[in-house]
Amino acid sequence: HTKVIKVDKNSIHFSPEGRLTITDKVTENALKEATEIIKTPGGVVAFPTETVYGLGGSSLCTESVKAIYAAKHRPADNPLISHIASIDQLQRRLLLPGQEIPEVYKPLIDKFWPGPLTIILPIPDKSKSPISTAVTANGDTFTVRMPVHPIARALISMCDLPIAAPSANASTRPSPTRASHVYHDLKGRIPLILDGGSCDVGLESTVIDGTVDPPMLLRPGGVSVEQIRAAGGPFWKKIVIARRLSTGKNEPVKTPGMKYRHYSPTAEVVLFIGCGDGVSSVRKYVKDKGLEGKKIALLRSKEFAEAKEMGIEIERDLGRDGLEIQRNVFSELREVDEMGVDYIFVEGVGEDHEGLAIMNRLNKAASVVVREQAS
Ligand code: TXA
Ligand code: MG
């Protein structure tokens, strides 16, 4: 049995000194219940963040982390991000005595925390680290981010534990941006979902590695590469995109998340890139593959004509700009999938600003990419 409790993020207030007050009783009680679960070995809770919903458990407890992997059916060699509510908590709970956050991260932490940016930190001595080896897949590094969502921040500070949290979807499915998505994938497998409404960013955090020179972008996400280059000073101007798209087969794996099937609805996703208004490309694809009579949904972004001009009945607009498309992409994939369509045709976007993260997810979701012109 999975309980879903509606919580109100506007009822949560942090004083400048970090003192938490919650003015709504239901929200307060739900957070207390969630806190008790997280503090119990093996306890996991789904909660909203500004990016996507997370499935959280204590980063310091192997039993809890194992429960996360089990609920999601996630491969155990794909490590998790730890979530903290303050720098103080990062120092007290995750770093070794005397260990400092590398200087290179300072300008980005100042600019983007709390927010959708995840950094990699070294574990200088695994035998002394408090982090469960299940979080790191027994590696020599860990990843951490400070979410801005008030429900996430309140939960982490009430537990006073770092919370390991992958996206709260079943492994391989599109990430969840609403509590109903979490319920759909994980009902019966987790005790509690905190329903804080839909997520503002809509796709996951950006994962960066500043422990190498040049620094690397391991996963594009809610903070764009352009923003990192602009805010990070000379070091971050050199940032290298670990792998542009996930479709290449021969590049070495830099971050475990890269090698897995991801973000896939049940319907087959066909991604159209550089196809202008889409009419001739889509019509040609339908004809060539003999898809007349199939149930197809079209997700439009910027330039595509209306679906009816392509002989397609179901149409959704992803949005007019990068932020809107980013916010809607996972939920629209899920929504049309729920309608039982056979195919989801998606109009791709350019790979600058939010487009890099959007196309990263769409390329992973797609089983076919139709590319009309180099873009
Ligand atoms: O926005 C987000 O980051 C969400 C919310 C819940 O905070 N979380 C999330 O977690 O997307 P997850 O587990 O779905 O993705 C974590 C990514 C994976 O691609 C994983 O391979 C990578 O981060 N990662 C985690 N720890 C790592 C490490 N030590 N070294 C390299 N990559 C790591
Ligand atoms: Mg995920």
Side-chain angles (χ1 to χ4, degrees), residues 52-53 72 74 78 165-176 204 219 262-263 330 361:
V52 300
Y53 275 73
K72 281 179 61 87
R74 179 179 174 112
N78 192 6
S167 46
N169 51 295
S171 200
T172 80
R173 303 278 303 163
S175 298
E204 300 89 336
R219 179 177 71 181
H262 247 12
Y263 312 121
F330 282 139
R361 306 309 190 271

Side-chain angles (χ1 to χ4, degrees), residues 20 39 43 47 89 107 132 149 194 198 230 257 278 345:
L20 168 68
K39 283 175 150 177
F47 62 97
Q89 203 181 34
S132 165
H149 197 291
L194 299 177
S198 53
F345 289 179

